[in-house]
């Protein structure tokens, strides 16, 4: 009698998964297709070009010497830190042989200087409209620069004020303490044709930046103590080129006076 194999127990039926609706199947397919296309697009997309950084603008130093220095030789050994010097020549005279050989009166000398500096600035700007233009003046040359800055700020010179900077040393027009600010505008000394230009500005419209430098008791820019100032013209006023012209290209603009200690 043959033996029958034992029957295996029946496994319970698994519940049937619900069928996806057409709408749901369509959504799933769209998601899969979008992901595939996105991956392909990422792989095939061209690289994004990076902007090349622009170089810093060239700095031009337009220099004007002080009295008896018509070519600005006092700047010849200044380190301009890669900048380009533009030399302005003007009489730089006071109209008497006591100080300079040139007999051009002071007031006329200043006027010639303003015109020459304006011409140099315009010519330099025409060659490089993206440049930065630093006007540098010492003593009489600083008065020239102060007058020219006012014209630039007032829109009388076709150069954007925001591209103009200035370094002024022993400026007679220093507000509050310069000889031009102390002596009423229009008054002066006939023997040298000096006529007070009045004070310079403390703020120049259009973004012009500047620093004025003055050694304490230099009577050209510091008339607070007249006797010391008169002596300081001979002892302090000549000190700037050797002691402080190193600041010409330092890029520091305070829009104010930088007082310097007696030397």
């Amino acid at each position: 009698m043959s033996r029958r194999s034992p029957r295996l127990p029946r496994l319970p039926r698994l519940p049937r998964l619900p069928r996806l609706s057409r709408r749901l199947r369509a959504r799933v397919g769209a998601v899969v297709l979008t992901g595939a296309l996105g991956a392909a697009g990422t792989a095939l997309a061209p690289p994004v070009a990076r902007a090349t950084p622009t170089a810093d603008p060239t700095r031009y130093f337009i220099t004007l010497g002080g009295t008896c220095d018509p070519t600005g030789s006092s700047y010849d050994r200044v380190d301009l830190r890669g900048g380009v010097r533009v030399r302005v020549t003007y009489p730089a005279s006071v109209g008497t042989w006591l100080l300079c050989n040139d007999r051009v009166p002071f007031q006329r000398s200043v006027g010639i200087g303003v015109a020459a500096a304006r011409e140099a600035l315009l010519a330099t700007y025409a060659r490089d409209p993206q440049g930065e233009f630093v006007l540098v003046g010492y003593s009489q040359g600083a008065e020239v620069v102060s007058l020219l800055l006012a014209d630039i700020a007032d829109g009388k010179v076709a150069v954007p004020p925001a591209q103009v900077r200035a370094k002024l040393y022993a400026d007679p027009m220093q507000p509050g303490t310069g000889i031009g600010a102390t002596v009423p505008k229009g008054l002066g000394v006939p023997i040298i044709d000096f006529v007070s230009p009045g004070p310079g500005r403390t703020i120049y419209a259009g973004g012009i930046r500047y620093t004025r430098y003055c050694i304490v008791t230099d009577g050209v820019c510091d008339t607070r103590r007249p006797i010391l100032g008169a002596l300081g013209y001979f002892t302090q006023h000549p000190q700037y080129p050797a002691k402080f012209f190193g600041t010409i290209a330092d890029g520091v603009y305070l829009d104010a006076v930088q007082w310097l200690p007696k030397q």
Side-chain angles (χ1 to χ4, degrees):
M1 196 170 169
S2 62
R3 295 182 180 180
R4 294 181 179 180
S5 301
R7 292 182 178 181
L8 297 174
R10 291 184 178 181
L11 297 174
R13 288 187 178 183
L14 297 175
R16 296 181 65 182
L17 296 174
R19 297 183 63 183
L20 298 176
S21 65
R22 289 183 179 180
R23 182 177 298 177
L24 186 56
R25 288 200 302 268
R27 289 182 179 177
V28 173
V31 170
V32 174
L33 180 60
T34 301
L37 290 177
T42 301
L44 298 177
V48 178
R50 294 182 178 180
T52 303
T54 57
D56 292 334
T58 300
R59 288 195 299 169
Y60 298 91
F61 294 87
I62 300 172
T63 60
L64 293 104
T67 299
C68 301
D69 185 14
T71 62
S73 61
S74 57
Y75 303 109
D76 287 350
R77 296 185 179 181
V78 173
D79 179 8
L80 297 180
R81 308 184 191 188
V84 178
R85 182 181 177 187
V86 179
R87 186 191 302 265
V88 176
T89 300
Y90 76 114
S93 175
V94 294
T96 173
W97 60 269
L98 292 174
L99 292 177
C100 311
N101 292 327
D102 196 325
R103 297 297 182 88
V104 176
F106 183 90
Q107 204 64 21
R108 185 181 171 198
S109 173
V110 169
I112 293 172
V114 172
R118 179 189 293 111
E119 182 179 349
L121 174 60
L122 289 171
T124 307
Y125 174 70
R127 290 194 300 269
D128 184 3
Q130 305 303 319
E132 179 179 287
F133 310 98
V134 185
L135 300 172
V136 184
Y138 168 42
S139 192
Q140 185 178 160
E143 179 173 329
V144 170
V145 170
S146 279
L147 293 170
L148 182 56
L149 287 177
D151 286 346
I152 296 169
D154 293 343
K156 297 178 181 179
V157 182
V159 174
Q163 292 174 236
V164 176
R165 305 286 182 264
K167 292 280 192 172
L168 304 101
Y169 299 85
D171 182 8
M173 295 179 68
Q174 181 163 300
T177 61
I179 189 171
T182 305
V183 177
K185 185 176 181 178
L187 297 183
V189 182
I191 191 173
I192 61 172
D193 189 40
F194 172 80
V195 177
S196 173
R201 300 182 185 181
T202 57
I203 299 175
Y204 294 93
I208 295 173
R209 303 294 308 278
Y210 73 92
T211 299
R212 287 186 170 95
Y213 297 87
C214 182
I215 299 174
V216 174
T217 72
D218 173 3
V220 172
C221 55
D222 182 10
T223 59
R224 294 174 296 181
R225 288 170 286 183
I227 295 177
L228 290 177
L231 296 174
Y233 177 78
F234 299 98
T235 61
Q236 304 301 315
H237 191 68
Q239 302 294 328
Y240 297 89
K243 302 290 182 63
F244 301 111
F245 276 9
T247 61
I248 286 176
D250 63 6
V252 176
Y253 301 100
L254 304 176
D255 299 327
V257 176
Q258 174 65 67
W259 288 100
L260 305 170
K262 290 177 62 176
Q263 302 300 301

